[in-house]
Amino acid sequence: MGNSIKLLENLLDYCSVKNKVIANNIANIHTENYKREDVEFKSLLEENSNALLRTTESRHLRMLNDPLDRQNRFRIVTDDSSESLSGINNVNIEQEMAELAENTLRFKFASKKVGEYYKMIQKVINGGGRF
């Protein structure tokens, strides 16, 4: 369960960064020459999931690129397309709002699962409610 919590924490961090990037895109929808930004996560996860394994000791296996590494989990990339979707820059408000809704659902799911995990831990510590 510990790995699941780390993945959920990473998902919450991703959702937080993604939300800031979307908000920045929406705030700059009327800014001339602004380039839309996005957060890369899936490609990094796929790259790291295919990473080679290296043994450092006969009993240990370790990934060369740990997908849970906090510094390399995701990066903000600029969409350099010159397509003018809003008439001023390449930000499409409908796409941003759809991504915001999707990101909000993803965040609610992850935060609910993390909350359930800690409630379960609290219940075990308190003896399963048998007082």
Side-chain angles (χ1 to χ4, degrees), residues 70-106:
R70 289 197 165 268
Q71 293 183 346
N72 294 322
R73 289 176 301 167
F74 37 79
R75 61 180 163 238
I76 297 173
V77 294
T78 302
D79 180 0
D80 288 328
S81 69
S82 59
E83 187 178 1
S84 181
L85 299 171
S86 67
I88 298 173
N89 55 40
N90 63 355
V91 177
N92 180 342
I93 190 67
E94 291 173 1
Q95 178 186 349
E96 299 299 326
M97 296 307 287
E99 286 189 21
L100 184 63
E102 180 183 339
N103 196 49
T104 300
L105 290 174
R106 195 177 296 126

Short mmCIF file of all heavy atoms in Angstrom, two decimals, residues 70-106:
data_model
loop_
_atom_site.label_atom_id
_atom_site.label_comp_id
_atom_site.label_asym_id
_atom_site.label_seq_id
_atom_site.Cartn_x
_atom_site.Cartn_y
_atom_site.Cartn_z
N ARG A 70 11.18 12.61 -7.36
CA ARG A 70 10.42 13.86 -7.27
C ARG A 70 10.90 14.91 -8.26
O ARG A 70 10.13 15.75 -8.68
CB ARG A 70 10.49 14.42 -5.85
CG ARG A 70 9.70 13.59 -4.89
CD ARG A 70 9.45 14.37 -3.63
NE ARG A 70 8.41 13.74 -2.86
CZ ARG A 70 7.12 14.05 -2.96
NH1 ARG A 70 6.73 14.96 -3.76
NH2 ARG A 70 6.22 13.42 -2.24
N GLN A 71 12.18 14.88 -8.65
CA GLN A 71 12.67 15.94 -9.53
C GLN A 71 12.37 15.67 -11.00
O GLN A 71 12.31 16.60 -11.78
CB GLN A 71 14.18 16.09 -9.35
CG GLN A 71 14.53 16.62 -7.98
CD GLN A 71 16.01 16.85 -7.84
OE1 GLN A 71 16.79 16.37 -8.67
NE2 GLN A 71 16.40 17.57 -6.81
N ASN A 72 12.20 14.42 -11.39
CA ASN A 72 12.02 14.11 -12.81
C ASN A 72 10.63 13.58 -13.14
O ASN A 72 10.45 12.92 -14.13
CB ASN A 72 13.06 13.07 -13.23
CG ASN A 72 14.44 13.63 -13.17
OD1 ASN A 72 14.66 14.78 -13.49
ND2 ASN A 72 15.37 12.82 -12.72
N ARG A 73 9.64 13.89 -12.31
CA ARG A 73 8.32 13.33 -12.53
C ARG A 73 7.60 13.96 -13.72
O ARG A 73 6.97 13.28 -14.49
CB ARG A 73 7.47 13.45 -11.29
CG ARG A 73 7.92 12.51 -10.22
CD ARG A 73 7.14 12.71 -9.01
NE ARG A 73 7.32 14.10 -8.60
CZ ARG A 73 6.59 14.71 -7.71
NH1 ARG A 73 5.62 14.09 -7.15
NH2 ARG A 73 6.82 15.95 -7.38
N PHE A 74 7.67 15.26 -13.85
CA PHE A 74 7.00 15.93 -14.96
C PHE A 74 7.68 17.26 -15.22
O PHE A 74 8.40 17.79 -14.40
CB PHE A 74 5.52 16.12 -14.69
CG PHE A 74 5.18 16.45 -13.27
CD1 PHE A 74 5.34 17.73 -12.78
CD2 PHE A 74 4.72 15.48 -12.43
CE1 PHE A 74 5.03 18.04 -11.48
CE2 PHE A 74 4.42 15.77 -11.12
CZ PHE A 74 4.56 17.05 -10.64
N ARG A 75 7.45 17.76 -16.42
CA ARG A 75 8.04 19.05 -16.79
C ARG A 75 7.01 19.87 -17.57
O ARG A 75 6.13 19.33 -18.22
CB ARG A 75 9.31 18.86 -17.59
CG ARG A 75 9.09 18.12 -18.88
CD ARG A 75 10.39 17.97 -19.66
NE ARG A 75 10.21 16.93 -20.66
CZ ARG A 75 10.95 15.85 -20.76
NH1 ARG A 75 11.93 15.65 -19.94
NH2 ARG A 75 10.71 14.96 -21.69
N ILE A 76 7.18 21.19 -17.47
CA ILE A 76 6.29 22.11 -18.18
C ILE A 76 6.90 22.38 -19.55
O ILE A 76 8.08 22.72 -19.65
CB ILE A 76 6.12 23.41 -17.39
CG1 ILE A 76 5.45 23.10 -16.04
CG2 ILE A 76 5.30 24.42 -18.17
CD1 ILE A 76 5.37 24.28 -15.11
N VAL A 77 6.09 22.17 -20.59
CA VAL A 77 6.56 22.38 -21.96
C VAL A 77 5.71 23.46 -22.62
O VAL A 77 4.54 23.63 -22.30
CB VAL A 77 6.50 21.08 -22.79
CG1 VAL A 77 7.48 20.06 -22.24
CG2 VAL A 77 5.11 20.52 -22.82
N THR A 78 6.31 24.18 -23.53
CA THR A 78 5.62 25.24 -24.26
C THR A 78 5.16 24.70 -25.60
O THR A 78 5.93 24.06 -26.32
CB THR A 78 6.56 26.44 -24.47
OG1 THR A 78 7.01 26.89 -23.20
CG2 THR A 78 5.85 27.57 -25.19
N ASP A 79 3.90 24.95 -25.92
CA ASP A 79 3.35 24.56 -27.21
C ASP A 79 3.74 25.64 -28.22
O ASP A 79 3.21 26.74 -28.19
CB ASP A 79 1.82 24.45 -27.10
CG ASP A 79 1.16 24.05 -28.39
OD1 ASP A 79 1.88 23.86 -29.40
OD2 ASP A 79 -0.08 23.93 -28.40
N ASP A 80 4.68 25.33 -29.09
CA ASP A 80 5.20 26.33 -30.03
C ASP A 80 4.41 26.42 -31.32
O ASP A 80 4.85 27.10 -32.26
CB ASP A 80 6.66 26.02 -30.35
CG ASP A 80 7.57 26.34 -29.18
OD1 ASP A 80 7.26 27.28 -28.43
OD2 ASP A 80 8.58 25.63 -29.02
N SER A 81 3.24 25.80 -31.39
CA SER A 81 2.45 25.89 -32.62
C SER A 81 2.02 27.34 -32.84
O SER A 81 1.73 28.07 -31.90
CB SER A 81 1.23 24.97 -32.54
OG SER A 81 0.31 25.46 -31.60
N SER A 82 2.02 27.73 -34.07
CA SER A 82 1.67 29.13 -34.37
C SER A 82 0.20 29.28 -34.71
O SER A 82 -0.24 30.37 -35.09
CB SER A 82 2.54 29.64 -35.52
OG SER A 82 2.34 28.83 -36.65
N GLU A 83 -0.55 28.19 -34.56
CA GLU A 83 -1.98 28.24 -34.85
C GLU A 83 -2.67 29.19 -33.88
O GLU A 83 -2.57 29.06 -32.66
CB GLU A 83 -2.57 26.83 -34.71
CG GLU A 83 -4.00 26.72 -35.14
CD GLU A 83 -4.50 25.29 -35.01
OE1 GLU A 83 -3.75 24.42 -34.57
OE2 GLU A 83 -5.65 25.06 -35.35
N SER A 84 -3.36 30.16 -34.40
CA SER A 84 -4.01 31.17 -33.57
C SER A 84 -5.44 30.73 -33.27
O SER A 84 -6.36 31.02 -34.03
CB SER A 84 -3.99 32.51 -34.28
OG SER A 84 -4.61 33.48 -33.47
N LEU A 85 -5.63 30.04 -32.17
CA LEU A 85 -6.94 29.48 -31.82
C LEU A 85 -7.88 30.52 -31.22
O LEU A 85 -9.09 30.46 -31.38
CB LEU A 85 -6.77 28.29 -30.89
CG LEU A 85 -5.97 27.12 -31.47
CD1 LEU A 85 -5.66 26.09 -30.41
CD2 LEU A 85 -6.72 26.49 -32.62
N SER A 86 -7.33 31.46 -30.49
CA SER A 86 -8.18 32.48 -29.86
C SER A 86 -8.19 33.77 -30.66
O SER A 86 -8.84 34.74 -30.27
CB SER A 86 -7.66 32.76 -28.44
OG SER A 86 -6.40 33.38 -28.49
N GLY A 87 -7.46 33.80 -31.76
CA GLY A 87 -7.35 35.02 -32.55
C GLY A 87 -6.17 35.87 -32.12
O GLY A 87 -5.76 36.78 -32.84
N ILE A 88 -5.61 35.59 -30.96
CA ILE A 88 -4.48 36.35 -30.44
C ILE A 88 -3.27 35.46 -30.20
O ILE A 88 -2.14 35.82 -30.45
CB ILE A 88 -4.88 37.07 -29.13
CG1 ILE A 88 -6.02 38.06 -29.43
CG2 ILE A 88 -3.70 37.78 -28.50
CD1 ILE A 88 -6.61 38.69 -28.20
N ASN A 89 -3.54 34.25 -29.70
CA ASN A 89 -2.46 33.30 -29.43
C ASN A 89 -2.99 31.87 -29.61
O ASN A 89 -4.10 31.68 -30.11
CB ASN A 89 -1.88 33.51 -28.03
CG ASN A 89 -2.93 33.44 -26.96
OD1 ASN A 89 -3.82 32.62 -27.02
ND2 ASN A 89 -2.85 34.34 -25.99
N ASN A 90 -2.22 30.86 -29.20
CA ASN A 90 -2.63 29.48 -29.45
C ASN A 90 -3.40 28.84 -28.29
O ASN A 90 -3.48 27.62 -28.19
CB ASN A 90 -1.42 28.62 -29.83
CG ASN A 90 -0.40 28.53 -28.72
OD1 ASN A 90 -0.54 29.18 -27.68
ND2 ASN A 90 0.62 27.72 -28.92
N VAL A 91 -3.98 29.63 -27.41
CA VAL A 91 -4.78 29.11 -26.30
C VAL A 91 -6.24 28.95 -26.76
O VAL A 91 -6.83 29.88 -27.27
CB VAL A 91 -4.74 30.05 -25.07
CG1 VAL A 91 -5.63 29.53 -23.96
CG2 VAL A 91 -3.31 30.21 -24.58
N ASN A 92 -6.77 27.73 -26.57
CA ASN A 92 -8.17 27.44 -26.90
C ASN A 92 -8.92 27.30 -25.58
O ASN A 92 -8.69 26.35 -24.83
CB ASN A 92 -8.26 26.15 -27.71
CG ASN A 92 -9.68 25.79 -28.08
OD1 ASN A 92 -10.64 26.28 -27.50
ND2 ASN A 92 -9.80 24.92 -29.07
N ILE A 93 -9.79 28.24 -25.28
CA ILE A 93 -10.47 28.26 -23.98
C ILE A 93 -11.29 26.99 -23.75
O ILE A 93 -11.34 26.49 -22.62
CB ILE A 93 -11.34 29.53 -23.81
CG1 ILE A 93 -11.84 29.67 -22.37
CG2 ILE A 93 -12.48 29.53 -24.79
CD1 ILE A 93 -10.79 29.93 -21.37
N GLU A 94 -11.90 26.44 -24.79
CA GLU A 94 -12.70 25.22 -24.61
C GLU A 94 -11.81 24.04 -24.23
O GLU A 94 -12.16 23.23 -23.36
CB GLU A 94 -13.48 24.92 -25.88
CG GLU A 94 -14.57 25.93 -26.14
CD GLU A 94 -15.24 25.76 -27.49
OE1 GLU A 94 -14.88 24.83 -28.23
OE2 GLU A 94 -16.12 26.57 -27.81
N GLN A 95 -10.65 23.94 -24.85
CA GLN A 95 -9.71 22.87 -24.51
C GLN A 95 -9.20 23.04 -23.08
O GLN A 95 -9.11 22.07 -22.32
CB GLN A 95 -8.53 22.88 -25.48
CG GLN A 95 -7.49 21.82 -25.15
CD GLN A 95 -6.26 21.94 -26.04
OE1 GLN A 95 -6.25 22.66 -27.02
NE2 GLN A 95 -5.22 21.22 -25.67
N GLU A 96 -8.91 24.27 -22.70
CA GLU A 96 -8.40 24.53 -21.34
C GLU A 96 -9.47 24.18 -20.29
O GLU A 96 -9.16 23.58 -19.26
CB GLU A 96 -7.97 25.99 -21.19
CG GLU A 96 -6.86 26.42 -22.11
CD GLU A 96 -5.56 25.65 -21.93
OE1 GLU A 96 -5.24 25.26 -20.80
OE2 GLU A 96 -4.88 25.42 -22.95
N MET A 97 -10.71 24.54 -20.56
CA MET A 97 -11.78 24.25 -19.60
C MET A 97 -12.04 22.74 -19.50
O MET A 97 -12.30 22.23 -18.41
CB MET A 97 -13.07 24.99 -20.01
CG MET A 97 -12.95 26.51 -19.95
SD MET A 97 -12.34 27.15 -18.38
CE MET A 97 -13.76 26.90 -17.34
N ALA A 98 -11.94 22.03 -20.63
CA ALA A 98 -12.11 20.58 -20.60
C ALA A 98 -10.98 19.93 -19.80
O ALA A 98 -11.21 19.03 -18.99
CB ALA A 98 -12.13 20.02 -22.03
N GLU A 99 -9.75 20.41 -20.01
CA GLU A 99 -8.62 19.86 -19.26
C GLU A 99 -8.72 20.20 -17.78
O GLU A 99 -8.34 19.40 -16.92
CB GLU A 99 -7.29 20.38 -19.83
CG GLU A 99 -6.94 19.73 -21.15
CD GLU A 99 -5.54 20.05 -21.62
OE1 GLU A 99 -4.69 20.45 -20.79
OE2 GLU A 99 -5.29 19.92 -22.83
N LEU A 100 -9.25 21.37 -17.47
CA LEU A 100 -9.44 21.77 -16.07
C LEU A 100 -10.46 20.84 -15.39
O LEU A 100 -10.25 20.40 -14.26
CB LEU A 100 -9.89 23.23 -15.98
CG LEU A 100 -10.05 23.81 -14.60
CD1 LEU A 100 -8.72 23.82 -13.86
CD2 LEU A 100 -10.62 25.23 -14.68
N ALA A 101 -11.55 20.54 -16.08
CA ALA A 101 -12.57 19.64 -15.52
C ALA A 101 -11.99 18.24 -15.32
O ALA A 101 -12.20 17.61 -14.27
CB ALA A 101 -13.78 19.58 -16.45
N GLU A 102 -11.24 17.75 -16.30
CA GLU A 102 -10.61 16.43 -16.19
C GLU A 102 -9.62 16.40 -15.04
O GLU A 102 -9.59 15.45 -14.24
CB GLU A 102 -9.90 16.09 -17.50
CG GLU A 102 -9.22 14.76 -17.51
CD GLU A 102 -8.47 14.51 -18.81
OE1 GLU A 102 -8.78 15.14 -19.84
OE2 GLU A 102 -7.55 13.69 -18.79
N ASN A 103 -8.83 17.45 -14.91
CA ASN A 103 -7.83 17.52 -13.85
C ASN A 103 -8.50 17.59 -12.47
O ASN A 103 -8.02 16.99 -11.51
CB ASN A 103 -6.93 18.74 -14.08
CG ASN A 103 -5.68 18.67 -13.27
OD1 ASN A 103 -4.99 17.64 -13.26
ND2 ASN A 103 -5.37 19.73 -12.56
N THR A 104 -9.61 18.29 -12.39
CA THR A 104 -10.34 18.40 -11.12
C THR A 104 -10.87 17.03 -10.69
O THR A 104 -10.75 16.65 -9.51
CB THR A 104 -11.52 19.39 -11.25
OG1 THR A 104 -10.99 20.67 -11.60
CG2 THR A 104 -12.31 19.50 -9.97
N LEU A 105 -11.41 16.26 -11.62
CA LEU A 105 -11.89 14.91 -11.30
C LEU A 105 -10.74 14.01 -10.86
O LEU A 105 -10.86 13.24 -9.90
CB LEU A 105 -12.60 14.30 -12.50
CG LEU A 105 -13.93 14.91 -12.87
CD1 LEU A 105 -14.46 14.30 -14.17
CD2 LEU A 105 -14.95 14.72 -11.75
N ARG A 106 -9.62 14.12 -11.56
CA ARG A 106 -8.45 13.33 -11.20
C ARG A 106 -7.97 13.67 -9.78
O ARG A 106 -7.67 12.79 -8.99
CB ARG A 106 -7.33 13.60 -12.22
CG ARG A 106 -6.21 12.62 -12.21
CD ARG A 106 -5.18 12.90 -13.29
NE ARG A 106 -5.73 12.77 -14.63
CZ ARG A 106 -5.68 13.71 -15.57
NH1 ARG A 106 -5.09 14.85 -15.35
NH2 ARG A 106 -6.20 13.49 -16.75
#
